[in-house]
């Protein structure tokens, strides 16, 4: 079995847990996920099975959509509600919707983020959360991210007793974005500590929450012999790329790692997906120096 399944990751489960359970259900080791979700976040987690694991990175390159809640007035060690409170600043009056919108707009486009200490990014072979738990100092690497949009979805709510204000948001972003950090940065722009207090992923890898399947539903489909019907083809991850349908002669060349030339492609795309018998077989990239298309990722040469 080869393909992609948009899993609905429930809260309390890690992304690794999802992969482990999918391996047992599919009875395969070649299973991997595209884009980690924290345990306290639910939503779409594309899982690749079999030969589809070769397109995980292409899935991760696609945009993502989240909805959630930001609380202004305190911050934590983890930038979400799992951590210990490190700063408090009760407010006497709320920020207006217009003030919040202005600061949200400033956090769109190409940005530089410093990822949270409690994250899985590796520095010198160790994950940042290992440094954080051990109390060891480390310089966190900056990363470039892209925020397509960042907007409010419901009227903001202010609690006069606690001095906290809640913002309900939706964000469309590129790979590598930490929404926790975006929440903290919004607070910083407004001049108060902030924390991401709720988050769900609505879209990832071209899949939406409506398409997502629970692990329990996958297990049930396996028992009824309907598991394969839930898989999307490998090409689903590659829809944004220019496609070239190979003839039999070209397929024989490609199977052996051969090249294609521009006049055979009928296009000028830098990356192309080569199709044969309705299957995505490989991804080729144009080499400007040698003026030819050559292998970037082989997928299915059977």
């Amino acid at each position: 079995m080869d393909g992609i399944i948009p899993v609905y990751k429930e809260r309390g489960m890690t992304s690794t847990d999802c992969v482990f359970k999918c391996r047992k259900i599919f009875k395969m080791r070649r299973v991997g996920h595209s884009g980690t979700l924290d345990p306290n976040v639910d939503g779409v987690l594309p899982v690749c099975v079999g030969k589809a694991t070769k397109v995980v990175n292409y899935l991760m390159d696609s945009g993502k959509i989240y909805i959630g809640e930001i609380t202004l007035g305190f911050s934590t060690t983890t930038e979400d509600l799992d951590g210990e409170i490190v700063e408090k600043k009760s407010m006497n009056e709320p920020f207006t919707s217009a003030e919040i919108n202005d600061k949200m707009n400033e956090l769109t486009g190409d940005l530089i983020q410093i990822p949270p200490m409690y994250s899985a990014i590796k520095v010198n072979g160790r994950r940042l959360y290992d440094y954080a738990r051990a109390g060891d100092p480390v310089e966190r690497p900056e990363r470039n991210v892209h925020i397509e949009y960042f907007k409010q979805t419901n009227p903001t709510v202010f609690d006069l007793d606690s001095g906290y204000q809640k913002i309900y948001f939706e964000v469309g972003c590129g790979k590598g974005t930490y929404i926790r950090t975006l929440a903290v940065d919004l607070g910083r722009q407004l001049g108060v500590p902030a924390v991401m207090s709720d988050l769900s992923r609505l879209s990832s890898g071209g899949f939406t929450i409506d398409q997502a399947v629970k692990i329990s539903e996958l297990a049930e489909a396996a028992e009824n012999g309907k598991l394969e019907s839930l898989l999307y083809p490998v090409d689903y991850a590659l829809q944004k790329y220019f496609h070239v349908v190979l003839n039999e002669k070209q397929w024989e060349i490609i199977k052996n790692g051969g090249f294609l030339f521009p006049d055979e492609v009928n296009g000028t795309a830098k990356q192309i997906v080569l199709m044969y018998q309705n299957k995505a077989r490989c991804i080729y990239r144009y080499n400007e120096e040698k003026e030819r298309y050559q292998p970037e990722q082989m997928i299915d040469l059977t």
Side-chain angles (χ1 to χ4, degrees), residues 112-115 121-123 128 138-144:
I112 294 176
Q113 277 193 340
I114 298 176
I121 292 174
K122 285 188 176 181
V123 176
L128 283 180
V138 63
E139 186 173 343
R140 288 176 283 172
E142 293 182 343
R143 64 194 315 178
N144 297 312

Side-chain angles (χ1 to χ4, degrees), residues 244-274:
V244 175
V245 179
L246 303 173
N247 58 39
E248 193 170 341
K249 182 179 177 181
Q250 290 171 324
W251 172 233
E252 290 301 318
I253 294 171
I254 295 306
K255 277 199 298 186
N256 294 304
F259 311 118
L260 282 182
F261 295 93
D263 59 348
E264 299 176 274
V265 170
N266 193 29
T268 57
K270 290 184 178 179
Q271 288 169 291
I272 57 175
V273 177
L274 304 185

Side-chain angles (χ1 to χ4, degrees), residues 10-265:
E10 300 179 58
R11 298 192 181 197
M13 179 185 294
T14 68
S15 299
T16 302
D17 289 338
C18 281
V19 169
F20 178 74
K21 290 177 184 294
C22 285
R23 282 175 178 159
K24 291 183 70 175
I25 291 169
F26 283 94
K27 298 179 181 178
M28 297 177 66
R29 282 210 53 79
R30 291 177 67 189
V31 177
H33 69 75
S34 164
T36 302
L37 279 178
D38 291 336
N40 61 358
V41 178
D42 63 352
V44 185
L45 180 70
V47 172
C48 296
V49 178
K51 293 184 176 71
T53 53
K54 296 180 179 180
V55 299
V56 164
N57 289 336
Y58 298 92
L59 272 174
M60 292 178 71
D61 280 342
S62 65
K64 299 174 177 65
I65 296 174
Y66 297 86
I67 57 170
E69 174 190 279
I70 297 167
T71 300
L72 305 179
F74 71 96
S75 61
T76 70
T77 52
T78 58
E79 302 184 350
D80 59 17
L81 296 183
D82 286 347
E84 298 176 4
I85 294 177
V86 292
E87 184 182 0
K88 279 187 177 183
K89 184 179 180 180
S90 295
M91 299 180 293
N92 296 321
E93 59 182 31
F95 293 99
T96 66
S97 183
E99 288 174 322
I100 294 168
N101 287 338
D102 285 345
K103 298 306 180 183
M104 282 181 154
N105 288 334
E106 290 179 14
L107 291 170
T108 60
D110 295 323
L111 305 176
I112 294 176
Q113 277 193 340
I114 298 176
M117 277 300 296
Y118 283 88
S119 60
I121 292 174
K122 285 188 176 181
V123 176
N124 299 324
R126 289 177 67 190
R127 298 194 184 277
L128 283 180
Y129 58 66
D130 289 330
Y131 285 98
R133 289 166 183 165
D136 295 335
V138 63
E139 186 173 343
R140 288 176 283 172
E142 293 182 343
R143 64 194 315 178
N144 297 312
V145 299
H146 181 77
I147 310 298
E148 189 68 28
Y149 65 88
F150 188 20
K151 65 181 183 180
Q152 295 186 76
T153 56
N154 287 301
T156 181
V157 174
F158 179 65
D159 185 332
L160 186 58
D161 291 335
S162 66
Y164 297 157
Q165 183 173 2
K166 292 187 181 296
I167 298 169
Y168 305 96
F169 71 91
E170 180 178 317
V171 60
C173 58
K175 70 174 182 177
T177 304
Y178 275 94
I179 309 302
R180 285 180 281 158
T181 301
L182 191 64
V184 170
D185 287 344
L186 178 62
R188 188 176 293 114
Q189 294 281 75
L190 292 165
V192 294
V195 67
M196 186 194 77
S197 45
D198 191 66
L199 191 66
S200 297
R201 186 154 73 188
L202 297 186
S203 175
S204 178
F207 295 99
T208 65
I209 196 79
D210 295 335
Q211 296 168 284
V213 181
K214 292 181 179 179
I215 292 291
S216 58
E217 294 172 329
L218 277 179
E220 184 180 342
E223 289 179 8
N224 297 328
K226 297 180 179 179
L227 195 55
E228 195 164 2
S229 67
L230 297 177
L231 285 170
Y232 287 78
V234 176
D235 189 43
Y236 196 94
L238 307 171
Q239 296 177 78
K240 71 176 183 179
Y241 299 101
F242 188 77
H243 284 51
V244 175
V245 179
L246 303 173
N247 58 39
E248 193 170 341
K249 182 179 177 181
Q250 290 171 324
W251 172 233
E252 290 301 318
I253 294 171
I254 295 306
K255 277 199 298 186
N256 294 304
F259 311 118
L260 282 182
F261 295 93
D263 59 348
E264 299 176 274
V265 170

Side-chain angles (χ1 to χ4, degrees), residues 286-292 294:
Y286 187 64
N287 184 321
E288 293 186 6
E289 183 181 340
K290 297 182 178 179
E291 298 183 335
R292 69 189 187 192
Q294 56 194 48

